[in-house]
Amino acid sequence: MELKGQTALVTGGAVRIGRALCEALAAEGVNVVVHYRHSGDEAQALCADLERRGVRAWAVAAELTSGAACADLVARATTVAGPLAILINNAAVFHKDHLLATTEAKLLEEFWPNLFAPLLLMRAFAAGSAGGKIINLLDRRIAGHDETCVPYVLTKKALAELTLLAARELAPQFTVNGVAPGAVLPPPGRGADYLHDQAGPSPLQKLITPQAVAEAVLALLRHDALTGQILFVDGGQHLL
Ligand SMILES: NC(=O)c1ccc[n+]([C@@H]2O[C@H](COP(=O)([O-])OP(=O)(O)OC[C@H]3O[C@@H](n4cnc5c(N)ncnc54)[C@H](OP(=O)(O)O)[C@@H]3O)[C@@H](O)[C@H]2O)c1
């Protein structure tokens, strides 16, 4: 797909990896709807910055905890920006919770943004667009069995399977692919030492940057013959 001139909706796009995705898209000439929940100031500042770089950008807020909110987000994004060609499901919640520490509330807090919203956003996006490209942000943990974050791992494994199901169902109009990063940034409020402790060994012994994740996303978006693929951006850690 020729990316220049297309319009993308990036969930959780105001900060951290989502911000890097928006910046990388803008560098390719893609107009961006920056979805945010609490990071309104950052979303507005990012949009102003992207517009200075020559693309159109809009900040749109939504709490992704209901089907109505997901459908409404796609509708509002389309109203302000016109037809969407790209959906990037990046917004997520990550908590460290073993099985015995898991509660119904914690399950829903992670399952809504990490799994239910991506499914419902894909549905609304596919229903409202003639064709396009979908990328789901996964996690290299889908290749293993990390019992320290049970709800999170379940959401990402399910989203990986949903990526493959959607790739089949939405073809040939849409491609649906996933990107599964290793440790990139510590959770909000935690320092670099946390990331260093948690990252673990990897064959390439490389720190994964938000820009490396964005490069993988762009590669999948550019390619018209790839669907149902999951790219691990983890220095090979999923092999261990
Ligand atoms: N960070 C890593 O090292 C890492 C590693 C592997 C995979 N990943 C995956 O890569 C993606 C980006 O990672 P990240 O660490 O940058 O993400 P993050 O900071 O944990 O979350 C991204 C954004 O999601 C939004 N969000 C969370 N819950 C929401 C809800 N209920 N409704 C609407 N928006 C909600 C928040 O937006 P607001 O700030 O506007 O509230 C948040 O800034 C995620 O899918 C993550 O699972 C990350």
Side-chain angles (χ1 to χ4, degrees), residues 132-237:
K133 297 190 181 272
I134 299 170
I135 304 286
N136 293 322
L137 268 290
L138 305 170
D139 190 297
R140 57 98 186 151
R141 288 181 174 89
I142 62 172
H145 307 280
D146 188 343
E147 80 283 9
T148 67
C149 40
V150 169
Y152 177 81
V153 168
L154 289 172
T155 64
K156 292 295 183 179
K157 286 197 181 214
L159 185 57
E161 178 61 20
L162 176 60
T163 301
L164 309 188
L165 296 172
R168 286 181 59 126
E169 182 171 339
L170 301 181
Q173 291 87 358
F174 297 87
T175 68
V176 189
N177 292 294
V179 169
V184 182
L185 296 170
R190 307 297 290 265
D193 51 336
Y194 174 93
L195 190 69
H196 187 263
D197 292 348
Q198 298 290 318
S202 73
L204 295 183
Q205 299 177 1
K206 272 189 193 310
L207 276 179
I208 311 301
T209 62
Q211 289 71 28
V213 176
E215 280 170 30
V217 168
L218 289 180
L220 289 168
L221 291 176
R222 285 194 195 101
H223 213 300
D224 290 327
L226 287 180
T227 197
Q229 295 297 315
I230 292 174
L231 278 190
F232 284 84
V233 185
D234 67 345
Q237 196 170 35

Side-chain angles (χ1 to χ4, degrees), residues 16 37-39 63-64 90 138-139 152 156 182 184-185:
R16 294 165 56 84
R37 178 191 49 170
H38 295 147
S39 301
E63 175 83 58
L64 298 175
N90 166 79
L138 305 170
D139 190 297
Y152 177 81
K156 292 295 183 179
V184 182
L185 296 170

Side-chain angles (χ1 to χ4, degrees), residues 26 31-32 45-58:
N31 305 312
V32 188
L46 174 60
C47 287
D49 187 41
L50 298 183
E51 296 237 341
R52 276 193 294 275
R53 299 186 204 186
V55 298
R56 301 295 320 278
W58 307 263

Side-chain angles (χ1 to χ4, degrees), residues 19-102:
R19 181 186 175 101
L21 299 177
C22 292
E23 290 175 333
L25 287 163
E28 296 295 313
V30 177
N31 305 312
V32 188
V33 179
V34 180
H35 156 263
Y36 69 93
R37 178 191 49 170
H38 295 147
S39 301
D41 291 347
E42 292 88 344
Q44 298 292 351
L46 174 60
C47 287
D49 187 41
L50 298 183
E51 296 237 341
R52 276 193 294 275
R53 299 186 204 186
V55 298
R56 301 295 320 278
W58 307 263
V60 178
E63 175 83 58
L64 298 175
T65 47
S66 74
C70 295
D72 185 57
L73 171 59
V74 172
R76 283 186 292 138
T78 307
T79 300
V80 295
L84 304 174
I86 297 165
L87 168 66
I88 301 187
N89 283 310
N90 166 79
V93 167
F94 169 78
H95 289 313
K96 285 247 165 200
D97 278 312
H98 288 83
L99 169 63
L100 295 183
T102 298

